[in-house]
Amino acid sequence: MITKKTLKNCHKGIIKMEQIKNYIKKLKENKSLIPMLVAIVLAFVMFLTIFMPYASATEEYAERLEQYSDYYALEELDMNGEDFINISMAKYAKVYSKMSEDIFGDSATGVLYVVLVVLIAIFAIGALVFAFFKKPIAVIVFDILAFVVFCIQNWDYKDRGVIPSDNYNWGGAYYIFIICAIAVLVCAVASIILKKIFEKKTVGG
């Protein structure tokens, strides 16, 4: 004979089973979120590379910059020779924007380099924000945009013979950015795949 107590215990058991299922579901969902957490960190590093050494002076040229620091100083920018041993993207943009007429013969060209760096920063932050909100497709879009602008900038520096050159090689930021951009793309794709696998298992089971 089924009593009220038995029914009550069964009801409690069903509730507990549902709670366990929901807990397991959340754990599985978190697996698909791990790549997005990694992407947040990587996108932030992409942003930081703007202030890291984009170009590093060769050993011989670095010694010359240190030895004749005052000779290579630029009073307009409050920079001396030692400041040019390692040059970041932000520092290049500052130099080109302030001394555009002296370097390029007009004031407009220097602004272009500021725009390139700003776009890289915006797209990197965009990838970070969308990774935070778990939007992998948007992360892919912004990551690719950041990488494309970065490549355009690299092409320009190569084409003008700035980097690499007899005096400068690519700095750490150049390689870090490329690695992080590729890794962010991989993380976003992995997140999409893991989410689809989980959805199929949920529907099937």
Side-chain angles (χ1 to χ4, degrees):
M1 183 178 178
I2 300 174
T3 62
K4 288 184 178 179
K5 187 177 181 180
T6 304
L7 290 172
K8 189 176 181 180
N9 288 334
C10 287
H11 181 66
K12 285 182 178 179
I14 291 170
I15 291 173
K16 284 183 178 180
M17 285 297 293
E18 286 297 321
Q19 288 175 341
I20 292 170
K21 283 182 179 180
N22 288 332
Y23 181 71
I24 293 171
K25 183 180 178 181
K26 286 180 180 179
L27 285 176
K28 288 181 177 179
E29 285 179 340
N30 284 337
K31 286 183 180 179
S32 66
L33 296 180
I34 290 173
M36 287 291 91
L37 292 174
V38 176
I40 289 173
V41 176
L42 293 170
F44 183 61
V45 174
M46 285 172 65
F47 171 76
L48 290 180
T49 57
I50 292 171
F51 309 99
M52 296 178 186
Y54 178 62
S56 294
T58 60
E59 188 175 345
E60 182 182 342
Y61 191 56
E63 290 177 1
R64 199 189 313 165
L65 288 169
E66 286 181 346
Q67 188 174 356
Y68 303 103
S69 183
D70 293 336
Y71 176 78
Y72 290 99
L74 292 175
E75 293 181 5
E76 303 93 325
L77 303 174
D78 193 27
M79 295 170 67
N80 56 35
E82 292 182 7
D83 292 321
F84 290 99
I85 293 174
N86 291 300
I87 311 177
S88 66
M89 287 184 257
K91 194 179 288 184
Y92 264 124
K94 178 183 177 181
V95 172
Y96 287 149
S97 63
K98 295 287 185 180
M99 304 193 67
S100 183
E101 290 190 8
D102 295 326
I103 298 171
F104 304 108
D106 62 78
S107 58
T109 305
V111 177
L112 174 64
Y113 294 93
V114 176
V115 171
L116 288 173
V117 174
V118 170
L119 285 175
I120 291 171
I122 290 172
F123 293 142
I125 292 297
L128 186 157
V129 170
F130 283 111
F132 179 80
F133 287 107
K134 302 182 286 292
K135 303 292 183 182
I137 294 176
V139 171
I140 291 172
V141 172
F142 275 83
D143 181 56
I144 290 175
L145 286 172
F147 188 71
V148 168
V149 176
F150 182 71
C151 288
I152 291 171
Q153 179 180 260
N154 296 340
W155 172 83
D156 175 75
Y157 280 77
K158 285 180 182 177
D159 186 59
R160 290 187 295 114
V162 178
I163 319 169
S165 65
D166 293 336
N167 295 329
Y168 285 97
N169 294 314
W170 293 114
Y174 172 81
Y175 301 101
I176 292 171
F177 188 96
I178 292 173
I179 292 169
C180 287
I182 294 171
V184 168
L185 180 64
V186 171
C187 286
V189 172
S191 179
I192 293 170
I193 293 171
L194 287 171
K195 188 176 180 181
K196 285 185 177 181
I197 290 172
F198 170 69
E199 288 174 350
K200 284 182 180 180
K201 285 185 178 180
T202 303
V203 173

